[in-house]
């Protein structure tokens, strides 16, 4: 990618798309094209075709998707399947039709079977049943991977797919019903501290194991793959270490400065018991993350408080 190449970042207002834009700008790329979902609904094929014909992007980071935590995935199976299938099919097909030089599709580690070997290697894809709370989303993401591989095989398109582990960081969604666990814990602990509440509810048993990657590290990996990788095989992006949800809650409580009790609400789902990716493929290519879990939580908490401050919400403790 030369520095004035036309680069379309789909989903630039989201957690990952926002971080990709920050990385691209930091690296000196000057010709970024972005659209909000209001300006361009990627589920609409006519709008997508018109956009690609007009803008002629040379590179595409496909970070637009219908995304959410365990409860949102479990509650809205139709949208998680339909929206994601439509938008990725439209973007990938238009990228082929308009001669895009390279496209990076973002999947997720929930594409792997619920009981995949740990850490999960890329070749465990499609070797067993999926985790029921997110199978709709996972099926759409697997279809996106297969679209990239099909257009590469039939038409020689340089379309690649990356599978990031659970992400968090600046620009995250802090909605308590729809978010992932990290922003939910930060918000719950912060509000409990402000209110002097004696306890905080943590969903599930606290025993599931998850791996967390700071989003700017993920964006760095996306840029690295765009520049250094061109193959049909999918590539995991992760840190290679996991933590139980109970220990994560204790870590977040420490960063926020909340000393109350953690109560486990077992009426909420645990989801997959463990999700740790095998990162040997991306490590062998020469990429590693740089932000530790505790440092990443601190950066995210600082950013969250800045947002509250800017919105005039009491709670900067
Ligand atoms: N968050 C995580 O933990 C993980 C995320 N990923 C992957 O990273 C990618 C981005 O996720 P993340 O940044 O967290 O998600 P966010 O929800 O933060 O952002 C998604 C973005 O997609 C855009 N979007 C959604 N629907 C449409 C549509 N119909 N038309 C146009 N744009 C649309 C939204 O645009 P707008 O704001 O304009 O409405 C939004 O900014 C996804 O593919 C996801 O699978 C992978 C692993 C983990
Ligand atoms: C990225 C990934 O994200 C999702 O999978 P998930 O890892 O299960 O997601 P999660 O972050 O929502 O939960 C992780 C764990 O944490 C527990 N947990 C505790 N307390 C809260 C809580 O307050 N909120 C949430 N959301 N979870 C909580 C929760 O019960 C679960 O055991 C899928 O969308 C999937 O499609 C996907 O790709």
């Amino acid at each position: 990618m030369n520095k004035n190449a036309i680069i379309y970042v789909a989903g630039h207002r989201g957690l990952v798309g926002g971080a990709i834009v920050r990385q691209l700008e930091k690296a000196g790329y000057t010709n970024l094209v972005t659209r909000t979902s209001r300006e361009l609904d990627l589920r609409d094929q006519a709008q997508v075709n018109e956009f690609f014909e007009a803008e002629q992007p040379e590179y595409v980071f496909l970070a637009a998707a219908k995304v959410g935590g365990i409860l949102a995935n479990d509650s809205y199976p139709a949208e998680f399947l339909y929206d994601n299938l439509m938008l990725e099919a439209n973007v990938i097909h238009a990228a082929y039709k308009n001669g895009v030089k390279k496209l990076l599709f973002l999947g997720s580690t929930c594409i792997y079977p619920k009981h995949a070997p740990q850490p999960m290697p890329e070749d465990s894809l499609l070797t067993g049943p999926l985790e029921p709370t997110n199978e709709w989303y996972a099926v759409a993401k697997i279809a996106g991977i297969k679209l990239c591989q099909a257009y590469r095989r039939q038409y020689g398109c340089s379309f690649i797919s990356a599978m990031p582990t659970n992400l968090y960081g600046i620009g995250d969604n802090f909605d308590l019903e729809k978010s992932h666990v990290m922003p939910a814990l930060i918000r719950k602990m912060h509000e409990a501290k402000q209110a002097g509440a004696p306890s905080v509810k943590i969903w599930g048993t606290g025993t599931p194991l998850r791996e967390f990657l700071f989003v700017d590290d993920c964006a760095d990996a996306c840029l690295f793959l765009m520049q250094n990788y061109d193959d049909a095989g999918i590539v995991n992006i992760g840190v290679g270490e996991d933590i139980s949800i109970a220990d994560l809650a204790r870590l977040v409580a420490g960063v926020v400065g909340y000393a109350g009790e953690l109560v486990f609400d077992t009426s909420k789902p645990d989801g997959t018991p463990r999700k740790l990716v095998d990162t040997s493929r991306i490590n062998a290519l020469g990429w590693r993350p740089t932000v530790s879990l505790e440092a990443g939580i601190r950066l995210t908490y600082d950013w969250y408080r800045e947002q509250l401050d800017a919105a005039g919400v009491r709670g900067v403790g």
Side-chain angles (χ1 to χ4, degrees), residues 277-301:
V277 289
D278 180 340
T279 56
S280 39
R281 184 171 287 175
I282 195 163
N283 295 156
L285 290 166
W287 183 85
R288 281 180 198 278
T290 60
V291 182
S292 73
L293 183 56
E294 187 166 345
I297 296 173
R298 283 190 193 286
L299 288 167
T300 310
Y301 183 45

Side-chain angles (χ1 to χ4, degrees), residues 5 9 11 23 70 86 94 100 120 136 178 210 216 229 235 251:
V9 181
Q23 288 290 334
I70 191 166
M86 294 303 282
V100 163
M120 303 180 295
W136 322 94
K178 295 185 178 156
R210 293 289 184 276
D216 288 72
Y229 184 79
V235 184
L251 187 57

Side-chain angles (χ1 to χ4, degrees), residues 46 85 205 291 304 310:
L85 282 174
T205 59
V291 182
Y304 174 64

Side-chain angles (χ1 to χ4, degrees), residues 146-217:
K146 291 295 165 193
L147 278 167
C148 290
Q149 293 174 343
Y151 281 80
R152 172 181 288 274
R153 178 169 155 185
Q154 191 174 339
Y155 298 116
C157 298
S158 286
F159 294 170
I160 60 175
S161 299
M163 301 305 120
T165 195
N166 289 36
L167 304 172
Y168 70 99
I170 289 151
D172 216 333
N173 170 12
F174 287 79
D175 177 312
L176 290 180
E177 291 299 308
K178 295 185 178 156
S179 75
H180 291 100
V181 62
M182 184 73 87
L185 291 180
I186 290 175
R187 177 171 170 184
K188 284 180 184 178
M189 304 282 181
H190 177 79
E191 290 180 353
K193 179 183 157 190
Q194 294 300 318
S199 65
V200 159
K201 268 195 185 163
I202 313 294
W203 294 356
T205 59
T207 58
L209 293 157
R210 293 289 184 276
E211 176 186 12
F212 295 93
L213 178 70
F214 189 61
V215 72
D216 288 72
D217 270 340

